[in-house]
Amino acid sequence: MGKVLLNWTYEFDMIECPDYISNNIIEYVKKFDMWISDKSNHHEYWTKDCFNNDALCFGSEAFVNWLNKYVIQKQDKNVIFVKRNFQADDEEKKLPHVYF
């Protein structure tokens, strides 16, 4: 299992996931971005902005839920949060990471 940092502007979340995900995290983020922004996917992350236009509103939970539902293989452990809403130190910043 590998660890990955999810960076949300000022805060980080750390997840633990199978190595095939942590070693290819950018590819999985690209697939997630395509999935979450596809209007034909009637997921819970669609909302309306102040002009009543469709908009997305999501956080780390959306990415973790997507990994667990669509990527994780049956024999693997689910992706879990190790730490939430924290300031990563220099050692933690060496982990694979994603900027959302």
Side-chain angles (χ1 to χ4, degrees), residues 5-63:
L5 287 181
L6 308 178
N7 187 332
W8 297 88
T9 311
Y10 303 110
E11 301 290 325
F12 290 87
D13 291 331
M14 183 186 298
I15 61 172
E16 186 174 73
C17 54
D19 290 335
Y20 63 87
I21 294 173
S22 63
N23 292 337
N24 297 293
I25 193 64
I26 299 304
E27 293 306 312
Y28 287 104
V29 169
K30 288 177 186 177
K31 291 176 184 182
F32 169 76
D33 285 344
M34 289 189 306
W35 174 82
I36 201 162
S37 61
D38 183 344
K39 289 188 178 185
S40 68
N41 291 323
H42 301 286
H43 51 66
E44 62 192 87
Y45 309 110
W46 287 112
T47 188
K48 297 287 184 180
D49 66 13
C50 61
F51 302 106
N52 205 35
N53 296 315
D54 290 334
L56 288 168
C57 183
F58 65 95
S60 296
E61 297 86 8
F63 183 57

Side-chain angles (χ1 to χ4, degrees), residues 78-92:
N78 277 351
V79 177
I80 61 167
F81 286 101
V82 177
K83 292 170 95 173
R84 302 290 313 263
N85 301 316
F86 72 101
Q87 294 296 314
D89 63 28
D90 290 339
E91 196 61 33
E92 290 167 325

